[in-house]
Structures are given as structure tokens and as C-alpha cells.
Amino acid sequence: MPMIRNLRRAVRRAYRRTVDLSHPARSPLGSAVVNCVVYRDGVRQPGDCPVEEAVRRVRKAKEGFVWVGLYEPSAEEFAGIAELFGLHPLAVEDAVRAHQRPQVQPYDDVLFAVLKTVGYVEHEELTATSEVVETGELMVFTGPDFVVTVRHGRHGSLGPLREALEETPDQLAKGPAAVLHAIADHVVDDYLVVIDAMQVDVDAVETAVFSDSAGRGDAGRIYQLKRELLEFKRAVTPLYRPLKALATDPMPLIGPETQPYFRDVFDHLARVNEQIGSFDALLDSILQAHLAQVTVAQNEDMRKITAWAAIVAVPTMVCGIYGMNFDHMPELHWTYGYPLALVVMAVACVAIHRGFRRNGWL
């Protein structure tokens, strides 16, 4: 089993998405703007330009859209962009402060979505203090001619996603809604990667609990895995209803040609939700089984202690009755009385010991 787990971890590392080196977390100038790109007919327009210039070009041509990516902007850094795109103050406040519940909220002609990103933390062995998942956030403002993404956390970079989208201009040509779908699909796909990785940890805990070498410290590992699973659940479960709304309900900017793609993402999210529920129930069962094993082990210890106490009670009783303080005890001056008392005590102890062994107490 350890060899299989190590092989699965090696395969997971080999197929993990490459780190996005072309899109740093923050630009060299210290700005929160990571990228600002204009797309027209699904094709990235050459040249980089400030956000104001990109918006001016798109609105002057009355076609295409601009995609602005930001990383953990401050309120001051985001204020100008919010004013430029006419973003709602409540949504702006949520985007800057982070730690928001997954949601999809329409504000006039702008759709504001909050998605939780989840990454799996690699570890050689699960312990009672191991970190299994780490979370971040993605806020997406989708408008008629713009997409503004705000990322919080150490992972969830959209650089590789942007490059993958640029290789399918037909999809990008569908506009900002296609970008929102691609981001949601990217986030949910990461959920699937994490849930597959957690399967290894759940299997490892289950194997350890039911092995002959199970230890009483396994409860800490199980509890820690349940805590990490709960953090994962908090990121995934609240997204269920908003994503279902995108897949089925009329939404601004989400046309009939785009909703089938959101239904596919929703199906993947439903699978993740079901798997989380299964893991939660399985870990509950594993924890109960482990506690039952501990209780049985404690009962075994108590039975052994009780058996040895019963064995010791026989010579203690004989010595207590006679005291052994007289010549040639018992029956006062009987010459063989003392050796006979020792023999009787030895025979009684052996007989009781054999009886306890036969009944499984020792």
C-alpha cells in the first residue's frame, strides 16, 4: 500500500498544471494589475497598454472586450478600475476584503461571481497536524465588454487558463461569458484534482486503523483529515446553488449558447459534492471503528488487571487468615503446616491462572 500511494503521488506531481511564470503575482512596478489584454473576435490584440487605454480602444471600436487581471489589490488600487467599469460599491468592497462566501450576484448589467480556489498540499505522511488543503478566492466581474478578475491566495493563477483560451479563439469570440465559464470550469477541475488526492489520504487512514499495528494516535490523524475536509466542503458546497443558477436560470450576459457549458461544470461540481459527502461519512465510520477498537483494547487491559488481581487475592487471603506468625503454622504446632500452606496457595494460583487463560482473560 505505501508503494502504491507513493506511485499515485508521483503521477499526480507529473500531471500537475505547470506554474505560470509568464504572469507574476504582481507586476514589477508594484501594481496590482497582473495583466490587461484586449480581445477582438477571439484573438488577442498585440501590444500591452494601460487599463484606461484598453477600455478606450474597445469602446471606440464597439467590438471585443478587455480582460483585466488583478492580484490582491488594495482599496486605493482598485478604486480607479471600479470607477472606470462602473462596478457596484458592495461588490467592490467584497472583492477587496476577500473571505467571501461563493456566490453569483447580478448588479444591473454586470455579473459578480465569487469562487473559492482549492489546492492540495503535498505531504509524505498524514499526521495530526498536516495541512491537506489550502484555499484562496477568485472574484470575477463580467460586463458587456470587460472581464475583471481579482485573485486572493497563493494559488489559482489564471495565466495558464488565459493561454489555453487564446488557443481556442472560437470560444473566446463568444465574449466575456465564455471567460466566466472557463474560470468556473478551471476552479471546479481543481476541485476534482484535490478530491482525487484526498482519496489517497482517506485510504491510508482506513488501512492504518484496520491494520494489526493500529495505534491509539490514529484518532488525531482522522480528526485532522476531517477538519481539512470540512474546509474543502466550505469552499465547494456554497457554490452549488449559484452555479446551478448560471446553468439553468436567465442571467444577464449568459446566453442560451453558453448555458450548456455551465451545466457541464455544474455536473462536475455535483460529483465533487457527492464525493465530499461520501468521504465525510466514511471518516465518521472510521473514527467510530477506531474508538471501538480503543475501547476493546482498554477492556482487554482491564480484564488482565482483574485476572491478576484475582490470582494475587488467594495467597493474600490465606496469609491474612493465618498471619504466619506462629511456629509450624497452620494449626499452630503442625510441622508441615507452613509448607502445605505455600503449596495450597501455589496450586490455587495456577488453577485460577489456567481458568483465566482458558476463558481468554489472559
Side-chain angles (χ1 to χ4, degrees):
M1 286 298 294
M3 183 177 67
I4 296 176
R5 288 198 297 271
N6 292 335
L7 179 61
R8 292 178 69 176
R9 285 195 177 98
V11 171
R12 191 164 61 247
R13 291 191 186 103
Y15 284 93
R16 185 185 295 168
R17 290 188 178 89
T18 56
V19 178
D20 178 28
L21 299 177
S22 61
H23 302 279
R26 297 179 77 88
S27 70
L29 298 178
S31 170
V33 178
V34 176
N35 221 324
C36 177
V37 180
V38 174
Y39 295 95
R40 189 170 297 162
D41 296 327
V43 178
R44 177 173 180 158
Q45 300 303 296
D48 295 327
C49 58
V51 178
E52 295 82 358
E53 176 62 21
V55 173
R56 188 190 65 80
R57 287 169 54 185
V58 167
R59 291 179 175 172
K60 181 179 180 180
K62 295 183 180 180
E63 60 177 345
F65 66 94
V66 57
W67 182 355
V68 181
L70 301 97
Y71 177 75
E72 296 187 353
S74 64
E76 293 76 16
E77 290 174 320
F78 199 49
I81 293 177
E83 182 179 359
L84 179 65
F85 291 108
L87 306 181
H88 197 279
L90 292 177
V92 171
E93 182 181 359
D94 289 344
V96 173
R97 295 179 60 184
H99 304 294
Q100 303 299 318
R101 182 180 175 89
Q103 58 181 292
V104 174
Q105 292 287 345
Y107 291 98
D108 297 329
D109 60 346
V110 176
L111 199 61
F112 175 62
V114 178
L115 308 172
K116 287 281 190 179
T117 59
V118 180
Y120 181 76
V121 180
E122 293 286 353
H123 48 270
E124 293 299 326
E125 183 180 1
L126 181 67
T127 66
T129 58
S130 295
E131 185 181 8
V132 179
V133 297
E134 58 180 358
T135 60
E137 292 182 42
L138 267 174
M139 285 79 169
V140 186
F141 295 88
T142 308
D145 55 5
F146 67 87
V147 176
V148 177
T149 57
V150 181
R151 181 166 65 93
H152 294 265
R154 294 181 297 173
H155 60 93
S157 173
L158 296 178
L161 172 66
R162 185 193 295 268
E163 293 167 1
L165 274 174
E166 290 172 357
E167 295 176 0
T168 56
D170 291 343
Q171 187 69 10
L172 263 179
K174 295 177 182 178
V179 176
L180 177 60
H181 159 260
I183 293 173
D185 187 51
H186 172 78
V187 170
V188 174
D189 282 348
D190 281 347
Y191 294 166
L192 292 171
V193 173
V194 173
I195 206 71
D196 289 341
M198 291 190 75
Q199 175 77 62
V200 178
D201 291 322
V202 174
D203 290 344
V205 167
E206 184 179 20
T207 302
V209 166
F210 292 102
S211 67
D212 295 334
S213 59
R216 297 186 181 181
D218 288 333
R221 300 170 59 202
I222 301 171
Y223 184 69
Q224 177 65 15
L225 190 56
K226 279 187 65 66
R227 283 183 59 123
E228 295 295 307
L229 184 66
L230 178 60
E231 183 177 358
F232 188 18
K233 184 177 181 179
R234 287 172 178 168
V236 174
T237 303
L239 185 59
Y240 189 85
R241 293 182 64 182
L243 201 54
K244 184 178 181 180
L246 285 174
T248 58
D249 300 343
M251 284 278 183
L253 306 174
I254 308 298
E257 72 282 357
T258 309
Q259 279 196 324
Y261 293 95
F262 282 104
R263 281 196 289 270
D264 180 66
V265 178
F266 175 72
D267 289 341
H268 292 170
L269 183 67
R271 172 191 161 189
V272 174
N273 265 318
E274 292 172 359
Q275 196 69 33
I276 289 176
S278 299
F279 283 172
D280 195 27
L282 180 58
L283 286 174
D284 282 337
S285 300
I286 293 173
L287 183 58
Q288 292 299 322
H290 175 68
L291 294 177
Q293 288 177 334
V294 171
T295 302
V296 169
Q298 290 175 341
N299 289 338
E300 290 285 341
D301 294 341
M302 289 303 299
R303 288 201 303 178
K304 290 180 180 179
I305 294 172
T306 304
W308 283 111
I311 293 172
V312 173
V314 174
T316 302
M317 180 186 66
V318 175
C319 293
I321 292 174
Y322 287 101
M324 298 301 169
N325 294 321
F326 303 95
D327 294 337
H328 311 300
M329 285 291 295
E331 301 305 330
L332 298 182
H333 300 290
W334 186 23
T335 303
Y336 299 103
Y338 186 70
L340 180 61
L342 294 178
V343 171
V344 170
M345 286 190 288
V347 171
C349 289
V350 171
I352 295 173
H353 184 272
R354 291 188 62 185
F356 282 133
R357 285 289 298 271
R358 188 164 48 249
N359 292 329
W361 283 49
L362 289 174

